[in-house]
């Protein structure tokens, strides 16, 4: 029996997931596309033979049997889909961020623990499935170059959609580094500071960017993140790792390198859809396989919660200009230990 998936939100990410599940993923079918914008809903559903469209998640649940849901609406609209999905015991793949506040994310982990005997919500931190990040983590764990001292992250988007606010630089964009830093270092983030260099005049007037975000983890490893979301030229995500006796770079070779008359070079990925295409394929296939067995295989709602805590403190640091310290409400519950091993 294939997993019957509802995709909620038919923007760039949601409609790409509809295509992915229909044409590259085994063991799952898209049975419903939930999207209030009728043109978008119809266009996305056209990629999945047999899928219905619905204006709300509740309408879809009433109209057709659903086993699993991919939540791909804007972050502030995740919670109203997550709550009924958990209450009905559905498998969930929730795009980042889990929610846009630490308090809301904590409510989700509490609800999940109260209603299920194991984690059912996987959070879409797809970088954990990217080969470069996996290799970098393995290099650190091998100890071959000594301890990891520092990370330089560049996170560049071509342009921003309308209404992209300063706090979204963190909740929407830097949230990826907030997740990948503990993944790479094996340590929690303990403090954060934000610096704002000369602003890019090509960014909307109310969006001061680029910004530098400096995260420190428990042992003192520092990560500098340059977030630039109106970089114009394309989509680029790189990380350089500084070890005691070596350095490692990932993310530069994303397309074939071509040498021809007078030129030597590679293409630039236009968006995250291409840059992380292979990572998304791996993430969704593993989620589908795990969901069919009642579990998850990747970052959990707990990882979503801890990222929300750090994001909230980072937004505070953006406003204060001061060093801000991170504290979590509780230690990681035992509930989240056994099944999150996968890409975590
Ligand atoms: C997108 C997506 C991308 C990130 C962008 C964000 O929603 O998460 O991976 O680079 O900054 O706006």
């Amino acid at each position: 029996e294939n997993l019957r998936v509802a995709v909620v939100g038919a923007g760039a990410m949601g409609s790409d997931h509809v295509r992915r599940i229909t044409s590259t993923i085994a063991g799952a079918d898209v049975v419903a596309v939930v999207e209030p914008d009728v043109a978008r809903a119809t266009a996305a559903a056209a990629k999945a033979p047999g899928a219905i469209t619905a204006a709300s998640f509740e309408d879809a649940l009433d109209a057709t049997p659903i086993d699993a849901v991919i939540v791909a609406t804007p972050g502030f609209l995740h919670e109203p889909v997550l709550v009924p999905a958990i209450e009905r015991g559905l498998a969930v793949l929730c795009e980042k961020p889990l929610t846009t506040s630490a308090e809301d994310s904590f409510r989700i982990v509490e609800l999940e623990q109260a209603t299920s005997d194991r984690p059912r919500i996987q959070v879409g931190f797809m970088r954990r499935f990217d080969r470069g990040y996996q290799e970098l983590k393995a290099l650190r764990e091998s100890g071959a170059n000594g301890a990891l001292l520092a990370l330089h992250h560049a996170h560049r988007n071509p342009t921003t959609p309308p209404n992209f606010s300063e706090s979204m630089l963190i909740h929407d964009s830097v949230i990826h580094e907030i997740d990948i830093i503990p993944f790479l270092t094996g340590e929690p983030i303990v403090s954060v500071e934000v610096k704002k260099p000369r602003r890019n005049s090509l960014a909307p007037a109310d969006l001061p960017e680029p910004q530098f975000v400096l995260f420190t983890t428990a042992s003192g490893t520092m990560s500098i993140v340059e977030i630039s979301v109106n970089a114009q030229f394309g989509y680029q995500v790189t990380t350089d790792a500084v070890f005691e006796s070596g350095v490692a770079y990932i993310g530069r070779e994303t397309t074939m390198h071509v040498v021809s008359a007078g030129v030597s070079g590679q293409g630039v990925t236009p968006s995250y859809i291409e840059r992380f295409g292979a990572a998304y394929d791996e993430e969704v296939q593993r989620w589908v396989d795990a969901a069919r067995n009642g579990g998850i295989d990747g970052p959990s709602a707990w990882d979503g919660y801890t990222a929300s805590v750090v994001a909230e403190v980072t937004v505070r640091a953006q406003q204060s200009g001061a060093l801000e310290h991170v504290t979590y409400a509780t230690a990681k519950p035992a509930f989240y230990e056994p099944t999150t091993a996968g890409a975590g």
Side-chain angles (χ1 to χ4, degrees):
E1 278 287 292
N2 275 5
L3 192 72
R4 293 168 295 188
V5 180
V7 175
V8 183
M13 194 73 255
S15 56
D16 194 47
H17 281 320
V18 173
R19 176 202 58 76
R20 170 172 294 104
I21 292 205
T22 308
S23 49
T24 38
I25 301 297
D29 298 311
V30 176
V31 295
V33 174
V34 179
E35 166 65 57
D37 180 320
V38 176
R40 279 185 175 190
T42 314
K47 301 177 192 180
I52 62 156
T53 61
S56 75
F57 185 41
E58 283 69 22
D59 288 352
L61 289 167
D62 289 343
T64 189
I66 289 168
D67 308 312
V69 54
I70 295 185
V71 186
T73 58
F76 73 96
L77 295 173
H78 287 179
E79 196 178 0
V81 181
L82 289 171
V83 171
I86 308 168
E87 286 171 349
R88 285 168 189 253
L90 305 184
V92 178
L93 177 60
C94 180
E95 279 303 337
K96 42 55 55 176
L98 180 61
T99 73
T100 49
S101 86
E103 197 188 320
D104 294 348
S105 288
F106 197 68
R107 263 206 311 280
I108 296 296
V109 299
E110 286 192 311
L111 183 63
E112 183 176 44
Q113 292 175 80
T115 53
S116 175
D117 61 350
R118 52 184 154 161
R120 301 299 312 275
I121 303 174
Q122 184 167 328
V123 179
F125 289 126
M126 78 299 185
R127 288 193 191 179
R128 294 191 190 204
F129 299 88
D130 175 75
R131 176 131 158 249
Y133 284 109
Q134 291 182 346
E135 287 176 345
L136 202 48
K137 179 184 174 68
L139 183 61
R140 198 266 306 160
E141 286 172 346
S142 77
N145 295 301
L148 176 61
L149 309 176
L151 295 162
H152 302 249
H153 305 263
H155 185 164
R156 301 182 181 125
N157 293 180
T159 52
T160 38
N163 303 319
F164 198 91
S165 64
E166 189 176 358
S167 65
M168 285 172 75
L169 284 176
I170 309 305
H171 284 299
D172 224 57
S173 303
V174 177
I175 194 86
H176 288 292
E177 280 81 14
I178 289 174
D179 179 67
I180 214 67
I181 290 165
F183 174 80
L184 290 175
T185 61
E187 298 173 4
I189 291 170
V190 297
S191 68
V192 54
E193 212 172 334
V194 176
K195 296 287 177 199
K196 305 180 189 180
R198 177 173 170 161
R199 66 178 294 274
N200 184 347
S201 65
L202 302 173
D206 57 352
L207 188 62
E209 63 103 357
Q211 296 190 355
F212 283 149
V213 186
L214 182 66
F215 294 106
T216 303
T217 64
S219 74
T221 298
M222 287 194 181
S223 276
I224 184 83
V225 180
E226 176 218 307
I227 180 69
S228 298
V229 292
N230 288 277
Q232 311 298 320
F233 65 83
Y235 188 89
Q236 186 183 40
V237 167
T238 64
T239 296
D240 297 359
V242 182
F243 293 92
E244 287 175 304
S245 61
V247 295
Y249 309 141
I250 65 156
R252 286 193 175 72
E253 297 293 322
T254 56
T255 66
M256 170 167 62
H257 193 112
V258 178
V259 183
S260 65
V263 233
S264 169
Q266 59 166 164
V268 177
T269 47
S271 81
Y272 54 91
I273 300 282
E274 300 79 19
R275 167 66 177 85
F276 289 108
Y280 285 122
D281 289 350
E282 174 82 11
E283 171 196 63
V284 175
Q285 185 64 65
R286 284 171 60 173
W287 171 70
V288 165
D289 294 347
R292 293 173 82 192
N293 292 311
I296 62 171
D297 187 7
S300 67
W302 181 257
D303 298 307
Y305 160 71
T306 55
S308 295
V309 171
V310 177
E312 205 169 280
V313 176
T314 306
V315 171
R316 200 187 309 147
Q318 253 182 344
Q319 299 313 320
S320 71
L323 178 71
E324 300 284 353
H325 295 276
V326 178
T327 48
Y328 305 94
T330 62
K332 186 173 182 172
F335 178 87
Y336 289 105
E337 295 294 353
T339 45
T340 55

